[in-house]
Amino acid sequence: MPAAVHVADHPLVQHSLSLMREQATGSSEFRHQLGQLSRLLAYELTRGEALHAVAIRTPVAAATGQRVDGSKTVFVAILRAGLGLLEGMLETLPGSRGGHIGLYRDPHTLEAIEYYFKLPHDVAECELVVVDPMLATGHTAVSAITRIKQLSPRSIRFVCVVACPEGIAHLHAHHPEVPILTAAIDSGLNEHSYIVPGLGDAGDRCYGTRE
Ligand code: URA
């Protein structure tokens, strides 16, 4: 049985997503809402994070505080739209670190070609969270996770904003143990492999590269 697919149904998540879906939302507002969403998704993702006790001093007395150490969590952005999720997640989880992976599909062989790959050196001791706003066909996510698995991280999770049944099925056919966190599961793909209703091309909408 494949790992869980969790839909973050918090009202603030759905509010941001709805603004991002609007065709009239410009790229500055789109990036802002994606940043908001990234923090909310990071809250959801870190619900089970371990706390460790530390001795602190309040203005009134000595006390015991609780801290999170995110230094073994690495958020890996799939370029380029994944960048829109990365900063907010790094800000939200104290001590967490980032990685980047860039892949393009060779138009002739359809093979995923890596053009950028940079992760912390101690990945084998880390929990990885691969982030990309759209889980459409799932091909890029599968290639990125296959590549990352060569470094034998302790665990891998996948976070997106909009998923669809085809993308989920493809990801879990190749990597059934990878849990997915998303803000929505839309109805499917159109003939151009865009998610319907989706939000269009997340990279273009983030960076204003297409009118
Ligand atoms: N990538 C996107 O940015 N949007 C889609 O709908 C599908 C893939």
Side-chain angles (χ1 to χ4, degrees):
M1 184 137 112
V5 180
H6 181 71
V7 179
D9 58 0
H10 192 287
L12 294 175
V13 168
Q14 297 307 318
H15 175 84
S16 285
L17 175 57
S18 166
L19 287 167
M20 289 172 66
R21 286 188 191 276
E22 278 279 2
Q23 188 171 13
T25 298
S27 65
S28 158
E29 178 65 9
F30 186 92
R31 277 197 311 280
H32 174 69
Q33 294 303 334
L34 184 56
Q36 294 283 90
L37 245 171
S38 68
R39 291 174 186 83
L40 297 166
L41 291 173
Y43 270 30
E44 195 71 42
L45 193 78
T46 53
R47 214 171 258 286
E49 204 71 22
L51 286 167
H52 61 270
V54 289
I56 59 168
R57 171 161 287 281
T58 77
V60 180
T64 301
Q66 302 286 340
R67 300 265 168 88
V68 165
D69 173 14
S71 63
K72 292 296 176 192
T73 299
V74 179
F75 294 105
V76 184
I78 300 182
L79 300 176
R80 80 189 144 137
L83 289 176
L85 286 168
L86 187 61
E87 277 307 314
M89 291 194 162
L90 288 170
E91 271 172 22
T92 303
L93 179 59
S96 60
R97 290 175 292 159
H100 299 84
I101 179 162
L103 301 163
Y104 73 90
R105 193 157 290 272
D106 183 296
H108 305 296
T109 64
L110 299 183
E111 219 182 296
I113 311 288
E114 179 184 309
Y115 63 88
Y116 193 80
F117 190 80
K118 188 83 178 173
L119 262 56
H121 64 280
D122 58 341
V123 160
E125 295 156 32
C126 295
E127 324 241 329
L128 264 57
V129 181
V130 179
V131 303
D132 193 357
M134 309 303 278
L135 180 58
T137 62
H139 288 124
T140 308
V142 165
S143 300
I145 292 170
T146 302
R147 173 66 174 96
I148 286 164
K149 275 186 176 175
Q150 292 172 358
L151 304 178
S152 309
R154 272 202 227 142
S155 65
I156 302 177
R157 288 175 282 176
F158 184 82
V159 177
C160 59
V161 173
V162 183
C164 64
E166 296 92 323
I168 293 169
H170 189 65
L171 201 162
H172 275 162
H174 291 263
H175 302 297
E177 78 291 2
V178 174
I180 299 170
L181 171 63
T182 183
I185 302 175
D186 281 8
S187 51
L189 295 173
N190 68 13
E191 65 279 20
H192 304 293
S193 298
Y194 277 90
I195 297 179
V196 182
L199 47 74
D201 186 301
D204 282 339
R205 296 208 56 201
C206 241
Y207 300 112
T209 40
R210 190 184 296 161
E211 287 311 311

